[in-house]
Amino acid sequence: MSININANEDLELDDFLSLFKKLYYFIKNKLTKDESTNELSFDELVEMYSNDKDFLSKLKYIKVSLNDIVLSMRNLSFSYDEYYNFMSIKNMIDYIVDDVGRYIKYSFFVLDLLRDFNKLMENRNNSDYDAIYEEFDIRLDEQEDYFYSEIFIGTREYDDLIVKVTNILG
C-alpha cells in the first residue's frame, strides 16, 4: 500500500502534489466514519477498529506515506517554509494516527491539515501566493495551538530535568 517513492530521484513539484493528493483522498475516502458505526459507543468503536487488521494497515499506510512524502520534499524548492510546515503537519498526524481512539476522534483534524496544505500547494503559481501563504501560515499556527492544547498529551517525565537544566543555565 505504500507510495514507493525513491527519495534519491529528482521529483518535480507536480509529482509531489500528485502523491500528496493520493494520500489525502485515501484518508478521505477510506478512513472516514461509516454510518453503521454511529450506533456504537466510542469505546466500542475503538475496540472494533483496534482489532481490525485492514484499518490498522491503513493507519500504517498513512505514516509510511507521510515519511515518503517528506523524503521527496527534501529535493524540491519551495518559496517559503512549506517543507517545515509539512513536517509540523506530519508530526501532528503521526501522533494522532499512533492511537486508534485518537484517530477516530480527530480524523476531521487530520483531513483539515491535509486539505489546507493541499490548497496552499495548488496555489503555488498564483500571483497572490505571498498572501495565500501568509493566510495558510496563520491557519497552521491556529491548528498547532489546537493540537497542543486539545489533542497532544505530554508526559511530565522530564519536567524535573528541565527545571534543573534551566536553573543551571539561568
Side-chain angles (χ1 to χ4, degrees):
M1 250 197 251
S2 178
I3 292 176
N4 296 327
I5 297 172
N6 182 349
N8 295 324
E9 289 180 17
D10 287 335
L11 203 64
E12 297 294 322
L13 191 55
D14 288 336
D15 296 330
F16 155 71
L17 290 175
S18 173
L19 295 170
F20 180 81
K21 285 181 182 181
K22 180 180 176 183
L23 174 62
Y24 172 74
Y25 287 115
F26 173 83
I27 294 170
K28 186 175 179 184
N29 296 330
K30 298 210 180 205
L31 290 177
T32 52
K33 292 181 193 171
D34 187 345
E35 290 298 319
S36 63
T37 61
N38 288 339
E39 301 167 5
L40 301 175
S41 72
F42 180 75
D43 291 335
E44 290 170 327
L45 279 173
V46 171
E47 180 66 28
M48 181 179 80
Y49 284 118
S50 294
N51 295 311
D52 184 335
K53 290 181 182 178
D54 184 49
F55 181 79
L56 295 174
S57 72
K58 289 175 181 171
L59 292 182
K60 183 177 178 183
Y61 172 75
I62 292 171
K63 290 188 69 145
V64 168
S65 298
L66 288 170
N67 286 328
D68 289 347
I69 289 169
V70 165
L71 290 174
S72 72
M73 288 179 75
R74 289 182 182 167
N75 300 321
L76 299 175
S77 297
F78 294 101
S79 305
Y80 297 94
D81 288 332
E82 293 93 339
Y83 174 78
Y84 299 103
N85 295 142
F86 188 77
M87 287 298 299
S88 178
I89 290 168
K90 177 200 171 298
N91 290 337
M92 289 186 280
I93 293 173
D94 280 348
Y95 179 79
I96 292 169
V97 169
D98 278 340
D99 181 85
V100 172
R102 233 183 341 249
Y103 182 79
I104 291 169
K105 192 171 183 181
Y106 297 108
S107 60
F108 71 91
F109 184 72
V110 170
L111 288 172
D112 283 347
L113 290 169
L114 294 175
R115 185 190 62 242
D116 290 349
F117 190 77
N118 187 50
K119 284 181 187 176
L120 176 70
M121 291 292 95
E122 286 178 341
N123 285 297
R124 70 190 186 284
N125 293 325
N126 190 315
S127 61
D128 293 332
Y129 187 72
D130 292 343
I132 292 167
Y133 180 80
E134 175 105 11
E135 186 178 315
F136 165 81
D137 203 36
I138 291 168
R139 171 89 169 120
L140 182 60
D141 283 345
E142 292 168 354
Q143 289 168 320
E144 288 170 333
D145 288 345
Y146 176 79
F147 174 79
Y148 286 107
S149 65
E150 301 297 324
I151 299 173
F152 183 76
I153 300 170
T155 63
R156 301 287 186 210
E157 182 179 356
Y158 299 107
D159 283 359
D160 291 339
L161 182 60
I162 291 170
V163 169
K164 287 179 183 178
V165 170
T166 303
N167 287 337
I168 290 171
L169 296 175

